[in-house]
Amino acid sequence: MERRLDNRADIRDFLARRRAQLTPEQVGLPTSGRRRVPGLRREEVAVLAGVSTEWYTRLEKGHISGVSDDVLDAVARTLQLDEDERTYLFDLAKAAQPSPATRRRRKPVDVPPRVQWLLDSMTLSAAFVTNGRLDIVATNALARALFGPMFDSSTTDERGRPNFARYYFLDDASHDFVDDWDRAADITVALLRAEAGRYPGDKALRALVGELSTVSTEFRTQWAAHNVRIHHGGVKRFHHPDAGLLELTYQPLDLPMSAREAYSLTIYTAEPGTPHEDRLKLLASWTATPALHRGAPATHAGRQDRNAGTHGRSDG
């Protein structure tokens, strides 16, 4: 038995939004007269991609099944999609193909002991594992301490696992913990949108998106923008309740734990020789000596660093 996932709405909205973001000048077309809608017209995209207007109109309505890679490449180039957006378009096309009912069914796995051993061996970096829905499924001690506000949040699941999207959009305290909340939230939604393109049949992901779209206007607006992100890394700043301001570099790595479920290993570390490294080391020492953790002098220092960090914040 074959089935086809109905992702036509996602295809339609994605292509229409990307077309609306381009101007004739950006693609080398002359401009004349007033335009009723922003961006390029469908017939202009069709000409630039080398297809008929009727064909492109059908594609933008979501009928992507059977479209060749060469045509998708031409459309991606015309719409000036970046690498992540191009990957997302191809994922949407792949998901629209007829397939056995069992294809790409998600199957969570337990974190193997060897992965936990790897995490535990990193004592001066915060390391954790997430699945494609951005649930934290395993951590080392320093990551557990770093993301203490997330673990203590009421947004954790029944197993006590935090989820970045649920924390950012359902817990107002996240605005105080993350220095550049807007950027962090944008990246989170873009990662989930890319995951939805790869696995549109993931029931847990659909439930998460449905919950957040119902409760959070901010999430609903960002989800409708169809921004996607696959490869990411960079710098984030946190206002930790005990350690104070922490500016950390992070890098996710694919972690092949399962053929049917995507996992990622992310490592946060501080630039050597900076006050942020000193604070991260202090936080690490607290995790090694729990009895001394959250002492009054340390908490006071954290408040001082937090207040000092409210001036001159940079993007995380």
Side-chain angles (χ1 to χ4, degrees):
M1 178 179 178
E2 291 190 340
R3 66 172 182 174
R4 182 177 300 167
L5 286 167
D6 189 358
N7 59 356
R8 286 175 294 180
D10 287 339
I11 298 165
R12 179 186 66 240
D13 293 346
F14 176 66
L15 292 176
R17 284 182 176 273
R18 293 302 171 269
R19 176 168 60 85
Q21 291 173 356
L22 286 177
T23 64
E25 293 88 348
Q26 287 176 297
V27 297
L29 292 177
T31 59
S32 60
R34 297 181 60 184
R35 289 177 171 252
R36 292 179 299 174
V37 295
L40 299 179
R41 300 185 179 100
R42 284 177 176 172
E43 55 267 27
E44 291 170 334
V45 175
V47 169
L48 292 170
V51 299
S52 70
T53 300
E54 293 76 16
W55 187 94
Y56 179 76
T57 299
R58 178 175 171 79
L59 175 63
E60 197 174 282
K61 288 182 177 179
H63 301 284
I64 202 171
S65 179
V67 176
S68 69
D69 288 353
D70 289 341
V71 171
L72 289 177
D73 267 326
V75 171
R77 286 195 304 271
T78 299
L79 296 178
Q80 299 183 8
L81 304 184
D82 62 26
E83 188 61 31
D84 287 353
E85 292 170 334
R86 180 187 178 279
T87 299
Y88 178 66
L89 178 62
F90 274 75
D91 283 338
L92 290 174
K94 187 181 298 183
Q97 304 304 319
S99 62
T102 57
R103 181 172 171 237
R104 301 190 107 180
R105 181 176 295 169
R106 311 306 295 274
K107 186 178 180 180
V109 299
D110 292 330
V111 176
R114 65 180 183 277
V115 172
Q116 189 61 57
W117 300 338
L118 173 65
L119 294 174
D120 292 339
S121 71
M122 303 181 198
T123 57
L124 295 180
S125 295
F128 59 94
V129 176
T130 54
N131 58 24
R133 294 175 295 279
L134 304 183
D135 298 312
I136 297 181
V137 299
T139 73
N140 65 0
L142 184 51
R144 175 62 179 79
L146 173 63
F147 292 110
M150 288 182 61
F151 280 90
D152 295 337
S153 171
S154 62
T155 61
T156 57
D157 65 13
E158 65 278 1
R159 298 169 61 182
R161 300 186 311 182
N163 176 277
F164 280 96
R166 298 188 82 250
Y167 177 65
Y168 287 152
F169 289 98
L170 301 184
D171 191 334
D172 290 339
S174 64
H175 292 261
D176 297 323
F177 178 55
V178 182
D179 184 77
D180 191 342
W181 185 92
D182 289 335
R183 178 171 172 79
D186 287 345
I187 291 174
T188 297
V189 177
L191 290 170
L192 288 181
R193 175 58 84 173
E195 181 73 0
R198 289 188 293 266
Y199 298 101
D202 185 341
K203 294 181 179 179
L205 178 58
R206 292 204 306 267
L208 174 64
V209 170
E211 174 193 10
L212 296 176
S213 297
T214 300
V215 178
S216 170
T217 302
E218 290 171 298
F219 178 87
R220 186 165 61 250
T221 300
Q222 293 187 34
W223 185 255
H226 274 266
N227 295 324
V228 295
R229 186 157 181 165
I230 297 172
H231 306 290
H232 69 295
V235 176
K236 283 186 181 179
R237 291 159 64 97
F238 302 97
H239 295 283
H240 194 274
D242 292 331
L245 179 65
L246 290 168
E247 182 175 283
L248 304 176
T249 299
Y250 70 101
Q251 182 60 54
L253 304 168
D254 290 337
L255 188 63
M257 291 189 343
S258 168
R260 294 182 177 178
E261 175 77 276
Y263 291 94
S264 178
L265 168 64
T266 303
I267 301 170
Y268 277 80
T269 190
E271 181 180 350
T274 65
H276 305 288
E277 182 188 36
D278 295 337
R279 294 169 191 148
L280 189 64
K281 286 181 177 179
L282 182 60
L283 189 60
S285 71
W286 288 336
T287 65
T289 54
L292 299 179
H293 191 197
R294 298 184 184 275
T299 303
H300 177 67
R303 282 198 299 268
Q304 286 184 321
D305 288 337
R306 176 186 171 85
N307 292 334
T310 57
H311 302 287
R313 295 182 183 178
S314 63
D315 286 349

